[in-house]
Amino acid sequence: MFKIAFGAYHLNKPEQNFAPGSSYRLPVRLAYAFTSHFDIEDTKFSITPTLVFQTQGKARELLGGTYIKYRTTTGTKTTGKISQNGIGFGLFYRVNDALIPKLIYEAGDFAVGLSYDVNLSGYRTASKYMGGFEVCLRYNNLASSLFASRKEFK
């Protein structure tokens, strides 16, 4: 399975004021993502490689990595169980900037994740390789995307 995604942010180019008399228009940010998902045959493990490219103004960012996920329960079209749960660990690299370990827990249509940016760029002198934690919450309509083509799930 392969997914290609596109996102656009700040389409109205909002104005930001940092000090009296100064303003800045935030440029549009464009994001492109390519993701794949491979189940490891006869196991409960899967691999999810991901590549993300973003642009904003003159800035460019490329991030790549993969998750290794363990499915605690698996959705199936045969039995009618349409929920899939799992836990995963990922390692990602933002080119010329950071190494990003990630943890994710998926429960049906919902996921919660935790990641930490380990700074590897020239800023590491000031940051001492420390970055920042990020938390993500995600909602996927898993049932409709996996099983929409089967009339018994409509």
Side-chain angles (χ1 to χ4, degrees):
M1 172 184 76
F2 297 97
K3 291 184 201 175
I4 297 174
F6 170 77
Y9 307 84
H10 317 301
L11 296 177
N12 63 344
K13 297 182 181 179
E15 185 176 326
Q16 294 183 330
N17 296 309
F18 295 103
S22 72
S23 68
Y24 174 75
R25 289 250 176 231
L26 194 60
V28 172
R29 177 166 58 110
L30 302 175
Y32 310 87
F34 177 77
T35 303
S36 189
H37 180 88
F38 303 99
D39 288 334
I40 300 173
E41 196 171 325
D42 297 325
T43 73
K44 289 188 169 196
F45 289 95
S46 61
I47 298 173
T48 307
T50 301
L51 188 64
V52 177
F53 178 71
Q54 298 186 88
T55 66
Q56 186 171 20
K58 294 179 182 179
R60 305 286 180 264
E61 177 181 270
L62 180 63
L63 182 134
T66 191
Y67 279 109
I68 296 175
K69 295 181 186 176
Y70 175 78
R71 292 181 303 281
T72 55
T73 60
T74 302
T76 173
K77 293 179 184 179
T78 307
T79 65
K81 184 176 183 176
I82 58 174
S83 180
Q84 180 167 296
N85 300 338
I87 188 162
F89 174 75
L91 191 59
F92 293 78
Y93 176 69
R94 187 169 41 244
V95 175
N96 298 322
D97 187 35
L99 192 62
I100 308 163
K102 296 185 174 198
L103 266 173
I104 192 162
Y105 175 72
E106 297 174 334
D109 291 345
F110 296 93
V112 63
L114 180 66
S115 66
Y116 186 80
D117 289 15
V118 179
N119 190 315
L120 300 176
S121 70
Y123 295 116
R124 70 181 176 269
T125 305
S127 71
K128 297 182 178 34
Y129 295 94
M130 298 179 73
F133 280 102
E134 292 182 15
V135 176
C136 83
L137 299 172
R138 185 181 73 209
Y139 173 74
N140 291 335
N141 194 342
L142 182 63
S144 67
S145 63
L146 283 177
F147 305 103
S149 63
R150 297 284 300 265
K151 64 183 173 190
E152 62 265 33
F153 294 106
K154 292 184 180 183

